[in-house]
Amino acid sequence: MDNRELRAIVTLGIPPSALCGVDLVSFTTTPQFQGIKQVSPGWHFVYTSLTQSLSLRHGTWICIPSPRSGGPTKRSDGNNESVAVVKKWHAKTEELVHEKDDTVLARLKNNAADIWRSQLTPYSVLLGAAPGKDRSGGIDEAVVEKKLHDWHVLTDCVTPELLSKITGDDWNNWRFNSASSAQRDVDEIPGLPSQHDHTDDTVEGGAAAGGLLHFLPIDLKQTWRSGATGRERTLAAQDRSWALGAIIDDHCLTSHMPPADGANPQPDEQAQKERYLIGEMQVAFLMILTLANYSCMEQWKRILSLVLTCREAIVRRPAFFTHVLEVLEVQLRHCNDVEGGLFDFNGLDEDGNASSSLLKRLLKTFRRKLGEVASDETQERRRAHKPEPMKRVTSSKTEDTSSQASPHQPGSPVPPPTIDIKTSPLRPVQDAFNRLEVYLRKELDWDLTDEYVRKGMVRLEDGEEVEMEVDDLQDEDERGEYAPVVINLDGTYDVGNSYNGGVGCHDGASPVGGESGGE
């Protein structure tokens, strides 16, 4: 067989009836199951659990390199990398670890043909098994292609440097489990030992063996530079572009791993750092989807809270935001892969408000900021294409203009040139957000616009009318408890809710509704 056909992930000793998952599919193992063959090049995540619900889940990331030239595949460090990855079940820790026994590896090599034929399941069969049937019920090629495409979108920014930084593990041994956690998300109980204070000496260290996850240090409570003034802090709290740039420039790593398909050129250093942040967002989401990892969910929320509250960065990094929105759409499409749904999209947000979820509020905020920068960009382009002073077509020049295909009549002004919005660098960002918005409106009935009544009278069942006010985006609009307060020297204070920070009504009376405060 050609090396391209011998790509496989061998998993030895997994107990029968255990839960095993590969990428976006999961299944119950049989006594004959020893792994997966004909695996596509690129990233794969294999996870196991003794039961389907209550036990701890363990998983490991595996990279299957692509034989781009048909010869031996090399890793980024120049060493040859086999196209078969061999893992074995560790009974004590209930996870898959590297098989290092030369005797076992030699036996596998000698019996490769029998193992390949009878004990390895084709990757396409796992992906395309007809719904409601076992794996022998046929393959749906459309389902296979769709899952392969989605998995590529969900992992295209994952790199060895990223996984090694997060887990502390080495090549093809990047491990997570349901309890893996970053230090900031660990709940320490006085008098009890920490879950990260001890490890098993029989298993290599790392996140799955008791080590900590090392995520990007995103601090949403301080999004301004050291030494910033009060006004600068206010602007940086409303527009987190500086914090995003600091995270990308100071903490994101570059990657020297060539693309899996070998076709696309290596991105520049800045693009690589931006992809590192997207890669961490991808890893965090997949660990939520497959392992139900709490710390990864918190980091995923922190990344979105940072990215979707930027304004100036949209102009400076349009390709980055386009990529983030495309990944987020595919992630949300797969939230229902988990029974009962991955998130309660219509539940309480981080502040305990029942009116919208955190993600909905973030997307509303981003929609507004995107509209603002798009409007500013259009005005800038109009000024850059400002025509010469208006000329009027006089009757003496009728003969000169009659040969032109112009609808203007003698004496009418010549209009300014039309601006083609399709050539705008922000157009891909707008298109990506529009696709995401259409999906959310169709599937979740989310309205991300600001065109709704914020304050009005509601008639109750008994006929009584009460005044109700929606408190969505009060922090963005500087309304309610977020309205600016000015302390006067005489001890009085003024409260306003103008978006520009103007002073509203006096004597401590806060303005009502979502109307702008007066200056």
Side-chain angles (χ1 to χ4, degrees):
M1 289 186 182
D2 191 296
N3 278 345
R4 302 186 184 195
E5 300 177 2
L6 292 174
R7 296 186 295 261
I9 300 175
V10 181
T11 56
L12 304 175
I14 298 180
S17 302
L19 172 69
C20 184
V22 181
D23 303 341
L24 297 176
V25 296
S26 60
F27 50 92
T28 301
T29 59
T30 63
Q32 294 77 25
F33 178 76
Q34 293 292 312
I36 309 149
K37 61 183 177 182
Q38 299 172 347
V39 180
S40 61
W43 291 103
H44 297 281
F45 184 70
V46 181
Y47 60 98
T48 56
S49 174
L50 280 181
T51 64
Q52 296 191 17
S53 56
L54 299 179
S55 59
L56 195 67
R57 294 185 180 183
H58 296 264
T60 180
W61 281 91
I62 296 173
C63 181
I64 303 295
S66 172
R68 291 172 294 278
S69 61
T73 304
K74 292 183 178 293
R75 283 168 35 181
S76 58
D77 57 9
N79 296 325
N80 287 335
E81 181 69 19
S82 65
V83 292
V85 177
V86 181
K87 298 284 185 178
K88 68 176 180 179
W89 175 263
H90 192 281
K92 186 174 182 179
T93 60
E94 300 179 358
E95 64 177 315
L96 293 174
V97 298
H98 269 322
E99 176 57 80
K100 298 181 178 180
D101 190 328
D102 292 336
T103 303
V104 175
L105 295 177
R107 178 177 56 82
L108 291 175
K109 185 176 181 180
N110 294 333
N111 299 327
D114 292 338
I115 295 175
W116 180 272
R117 181 176 57 256
S118 61
Q119 296 179 332
L120 300 183
T121 303
Y123 182 60
S124 59
V125 172
L126 294 177
L127 294 182
K133 299 182 180 180
D134 58 23
R135 295 193 294 272
S136 62
I139 299 176
D140 189 334
E141 295 294 342
V143 173
V144 173
E145 292 299 324
K146 181 67 167 58
K147 289 183 177 180
L148 286 174
H149 172 268
D150 287 357
W151 182 251
H152 173 73
V153 174
L154 294 172
T155 59
D156 64 342
C157 292
V158 178
T159 64
E161 291 80 4
L162 168 67
L163 293 174
S164 295
K165 177 70 177 299
I166 294 177
T167 65
D169 290 325
D170 55 7
W171 179 268
N172 273 353
N173 196 38
W174 303 286
R175 293 169 296 150
F176 292 80
N177 64 37
S178 301
S180 301
S181 178
Q183 181 63 54
R184 64 190 301 179
D185 300 318
V186 174
D187 292 329
E188 300 291 351
I189 302 177
L192 294 180
S194 170
Q195 61 175 328
H196 304 287
D197 290 343
H198 55 84
T199 59
D200 185 357
D201 295 335
T202 64
V203 183
E204 301 92 335
L212 292 170
L213 300 178
H214 303 282
F215 289 129
L216 292 172
I218 298 176
D219 184 4
L220 299 176
K221 296 182 179 180
Q222 182 174 345
T223 56
W224 50 83
R225 65 176 180 84
S226 178
T229 62
R231 180 60 178 169
E232 188 177 355
R233 290 187 177 193
T234 300
L235 295 177
Q238 296 174 339
D239 177 7
R240 291 168 171 163
S241 297
W242 181 89
L244 175 65
I247 287 292
I248 292 176
D249 295 337
D250 299 339
H251 298 283
C252 292
L253 306 177
T254 57
S255 172
H256 302 289
M257 182 180 181
D261 54 10
N264 297 324
Q266 187 80 352
D268 57 38
E269 181 176 345
Q270 184 65 25
Q272 290 180 44
K273 290 187 174 183
E274 292 175 350
R275 289 173 64 87
Y276 183 97
L277 178 56
I278 300 175
E280 183 160 303
M281 170 186 168
Q282 293 173 329
V283 170
F285 174 80
L286 290 172
M287 297 306 94
I288 306 169
L289 185 67
T290 56
L291 305 180
N293 185 286
Y294 170 77
S295 185
C296 290
M297 180 180 67
E298 292 300 305
Q299 183 66 6
W300 184 72
K301 288 162 57 178
R302 284 190 286 261
I303 293 175
L304 291 179
S305 297
L306 174 65
V307 173
L308 297 180
T309 51
C310 294
R311 186 182 187 276
E312 293 183 4
I314 301 176
V315 180
R316 298 198 301 267
R317 309 174 189 269
F320 168 76
F321 282 90
T322 301
H323 201 160
V324 168
L325 294 172
E326 292 172 345
V327 171
L328 179 59
E329 180 185 353
V330 177
Q331 288 180 345
L332 296 181
R333 289 181 181 274
H334 283 276
C335 284
N336 289 329
D337 289 358
V338 179
E339 184 178 357
L342 193 59
F343 305 112
D344 182 7
F345 287 107
N346 297 311
L348 301 179
D349 62 16
E350 62 178 2
D351 298 322
N353 300 321
S355 56
S356 63
S357 68
L358 171 63
L359 180 60
K360 186 176 182 180
R361 293 175 59 235
L362 291 173
L363 290 173
K364 280 187 174 183
T365 300
F366 185 79
R367 187 182 190 277
R368 174 186 297 182
K369 295 180 184 295
L370 178 60
E372 291 173 356
V373 297
S375 177
D376 293 346
E377 194 253 356
T378 300
Q379 294 178 8
E380 288 291 335
R381 298 181 70 197
R382 290 188 183 279
R383 282 193 289 268
H385 293 80
K386 186 177 181 180
E388 298 179 358
M390 287 289 190
K391 298 180 180 180
R392 292 188 176 274
V393 183
T394 61
S395 58
S396 61
K397 296 183 180 180
T398 302
E399 295 180 0
D400 297 334
T401 59
S402 59
S403 61
Q404 301 176 0
S406 173
H408 309 303
Q409 299 298 325
S412 63
V414 179
T418 303
I419 303 298
D420 185 7
I421 61 174
K422 294 183 179 181
T423 61
S424 168
L426 296 179
R427 189 63 184 178
V429 187
Q430 293 173 304
D431 291 342
F433 186 84
N434 289 338
R435 290 192 296 269
L436 175 60
E437 186 176 16
V438 169
Y439 169 76
L440 293 174
R441 184 183 299 112
K442 178 181 178 181
E443 297 297 328
L444 302 177
D445 196 26
W446 278 10
D447 182 9
L448 302 181
T449 66
D450 291 331
E451 300 174 356
Y452 58 90
V453 178
R454 293 184 177 178
K455 184 176 181 180
M457 304 300 294
V458 177
R459 186 186 300 275
L460 304 180
E461 294 180 356
D462 58 1
E464 180 184 1
E465 292 186 352
V466 296
E467 187 178 57
M468 302 289 290
E469 181 177 0
V470 178
D471 56 4
D472 280 359
L473 301 178
Q474 283 190 345
D475 52 344
E476 291 293 325
D477 296 337
E478 296 187 355
R479 298 182 290 113
E481 63 177 312
Y482 297 94
V485 178
V486 178
I487 306 297
N488 299 320
L489 295 178
D490 58 2
T492 62
Y493 61 91
D494 303 323
V495 181
N497 70 336
S498 170
Y499 181 79
N500 294 321
V503 177
C505 57
H506 302 275
D507 300 327
S510 176
V512 297
E515 300 141 3
S516 324
E519 289 288 336

